[in-house]
Amino acid sequence: MRVPPVLNVHRRDTDNRALITLTGEIDLDSAPLVHASLERCLHDGIRAIDVDVTAVTFYDHNSLNAFLCALLHTTAAGGSLQLRDPSPALERLVALTGSGSLFLTLPDAHAGSWTPPQPFLLPQAAHWLTPALPALPGGVL
């Protein structure tokens, strides 16, 4: 019997900003928790989301999919999402998929006049969301 990986999610809000701290592994079983946590921020009116991924020990395409989906929804709601302190593994995953430009620092949702990112960014990410990211030949990330 396989023991599911553990992922802990901690959220701290300050005004219109949330810091989500993730600890553990993000994979097929735990990615829905990441997605739900980030969506909950939007539901609660948070428009600036910082995701601290310092203590995440495993990533796969499911984690990237959860982050991209949250980024699209946050941007559509007029907010920003930033990944903080990504590990070399996450940086590699983002680089391999060509999604690095999507995770550049976006304008702060507290700024007076916020302009959404250029429209070409959203369609670029959409093809990564449906269908799910394909596995790389010959192994696991």
Side-chain angles (χ1 to χ4, degrees):
M1 179 175 175
R2 181 175 164 233
V3 177
V6 175
L7 177 71
N8 293 306
V9 178
H10 180 265
R11 176 176 159 185
R12 187 180 69 204
D13 295 351
T14 307
D15 298 323
N16 191 32
R17 177 171 231 104
L19 173 63
I20 304 291
T21 303
L22 304 175
T23 305
E25 299 181 2
I26 306 173
D27 64 1
L28 179 62
D29 295 325
S30 58
L33 177 59
V34 173
H35 177 76
S37 299
L38 297 172
E39 288 293 319
R40 185 69 194 174
C41 289
L42 294 176
H43 180 267
D44 293 346
I46 301 294
R47 293 299 177 258
I49 305 170
D50 296 311
V51 183
D52 182 352
V53 292
T54 306
V56 175
T57 57
F58 178 81
Y59 299 94
D60 67 4
H61 68 279
N62 296 293
S63 54
L64 183 61
N65 211 16
F67 292 140
L68 286 172
C69 188
L71 177 67
L72 288 172
H73 291 168
T74 304
T75 302
S80 65
L81 183 136
Q82 298 177 16
L83 299 179
R84 302 286 185 179
D85 300 317
S87 68
L90 180 57
E91 288 177 350
R92 181 173 183 263
L93 182 60
V94 168
L96 285 172
T97 61
S99 57
S101 64
L102 299 173
F103 291 105
L104 294 175
T105 301
L106 296 175
D108 190 328
H110 287 92
S113 59
W114 185 78
T115 305
Q118 298 300 317
F120 70 88
L121 291 178
L122 297 178
Q124 179 183 0
H127 77 278
W128 288 110
L129 297 175
T130 308
L133 291 171
L136 292 176
V140 177
L141 291 176

